[in-house]
């Protein structure tokens, strides 16, 4: 079995999650084309009025911005590719969906308390960023391994170098993403992203301690 085949085999759930989000986005667009974007909002987003959006918002994206989906798919793929081989399928899926739910509920509660309707929340991006942070902290031991290898003047395998780069970048997300959100003045996004990433950080520490 080739290295690429083995690599893909160990990341089937990550690939499946990315495909699921893409297909779900297609469902969002299909519904919006039939009933209109404004009417479809209550189907897919957490709003001040109870509806199916309360259930589906953790996996939904901005129907007016396909790049939002593309960015989250890339983030999810990177984070999932780092961590999936090191967790059981049950734990891996539990981590992702827990982070997605948390990054929906926290900004929704904040909106209920501090923001006048109408407002809407979707948590897929918070779940994706949270997973990358979770993966980076969980696999941060690779940074120490790289240091030891360099001190011994040995070469680091290329595939480990790429993973190491993604881990370092994942840790830096805690600073980079909120900074970008602040500059874009997107208050809902910053709360969703930060809550997802902080939850990912806390969960990863819990997994390491356990």
């Amino acid at each position: 079995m080739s290295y690429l085949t083995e690599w893909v085999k160990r990341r089937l759930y990550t690939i499946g999650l990315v495909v699921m989000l893409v297909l779900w986005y297609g469902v969002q667009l299909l519904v919006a084309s039939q009933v209109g974007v404004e009417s479809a909002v209550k189907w897919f987003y957490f709003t001040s009025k109870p509806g199916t959006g309360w259930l589906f918002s953790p996996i939904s994206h901005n129907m007016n911005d396909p790049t939002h989906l593309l960015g989250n798919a890339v983030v999810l793929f990177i984070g999932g590719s780092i961590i999936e081989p090191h967790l059981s399928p049950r734990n891996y899926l539990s981590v992702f969906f827990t982070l997605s739910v948390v990054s929906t509920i926290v900004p929704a509660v904040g909106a209920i308390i501090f923001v006048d309707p109408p407002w809407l929340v979707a948590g897929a991006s918070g779940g994706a960023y949270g997973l990358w942070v979770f993966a980076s902290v969980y696999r941060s031991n690779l940074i120490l391994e790289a240091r030891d290898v360099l001190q011994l003047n040995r070469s680091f395998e290329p595939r480990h170098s790429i993973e190491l780069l993604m881990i370092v970048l994942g840790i830096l997300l805690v600073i980079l993403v909120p900074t970008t959100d602040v500059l874009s003045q997107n208050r809902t996004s910053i709360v969703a992203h930060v809550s997802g990433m902080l939850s990912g950080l806390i969960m990863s520490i819990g997994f390491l301690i356990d």
Side-chain angles (χ1 to χ4, degrees):
M1 184 178 295
S2 68
Y3 170 75
L4 178 59
T5 302
E6 180 64 22
W7 189 93
V8 171
K9 184 177 179 180
R10 299 181 68 192
R11 290 161 178 83
L12 292 179
Y13 283 94
T14 296
I15 296 171
L17 286 174
V18 171
V19 171
M20 179 199 73
L21 291 182
V22 172
L23 292 177
W24 184 250
Y25 190 70
V27 172
Q28 289 184 252
L29 296 181
L30 178 61
V31 171
S33 69
Q34 297 299 314
V35 303
V37 173
E38 292 186 6
S39 298
V41 163
K42 63 182 180 181
W43 288 51
F44 302 110
Y45 301 139
F46 199 116
T47 67
S48 57
K49 296 181 179 180
T52 57
W54 285 26
L55 176 64
F56 296 135
S57 54
I59 59 172
S60 297
H61 290 85
N62 185 346
M63 290 180 285
N64 295 315
D65 185 10
T67 60
H68 184 221
L69 168 68
L70 177 61
N72 286 343
V74 171
V75 170
L76 171 58
F77 183 77
I78 293 174
S81 296
I82 294 171
I83 195 60
E84 184 182 346
H86 306 282
L87 296 179
S88 68
R90 179 179 179 180
N91 284 342
Y92 174 60
L93 295 177
S94 295
V95 167
F96 173 71
F97 285 110
T98 297
L99 293 173
S100 296
V101 169
V102 169
S103 62
T104 299
I105 293 177
V106 171
V109 170
I112 291 172
I113 297 174
F114 299 109
V115 181
D116 294 328
W119 49 263
L120 56 85
V121 173
S125 56
Y129 282 111
L131 182 67
W132 193 350
V133 171
F134 175 96
S136 298
V137 175
Y138 190 90
R139 292 286 291 148
S140 58
N141 63 298
L142 194 62
I143 298 175
L144 300 178
E145 293 177 11
R147 182 198 62 183
D148 294 339
V149 168
L150 293 175
Q151 288 179 343
L152 294 174
N153 293 320
R154 296 177 179 174
S155 59
F156 209 56
E157 292 187 35
R159 64 175 182 270
H160 288 160
S161 298
I162 296 174
E163 183 178 6
L164 177 62
L165 177 61
M166 294 300 100
I167 288 172
V168 173
L169 183 56
I171 294 174
L172 293 176
L173 285 181
V174 179
I175 298 174
L176 297 176
V177 174
T179 300
T180 302
D181 288 337
V182 169
L183 293 176
S184 64
Q185 298 182 339
N186 193 330
R187 292 180 297 176
T188 302
S189 290
I190 189 172
V191 175
H193 292 160
V194 170
S195 60
M197 291 188 293
L198 288 181
S199 298
L201 173 63
I202 294 170
M203 289 183 69
S204 63
I205 294 174
F207 269 73
L208 289 172
I209 293 175
D210 188 51

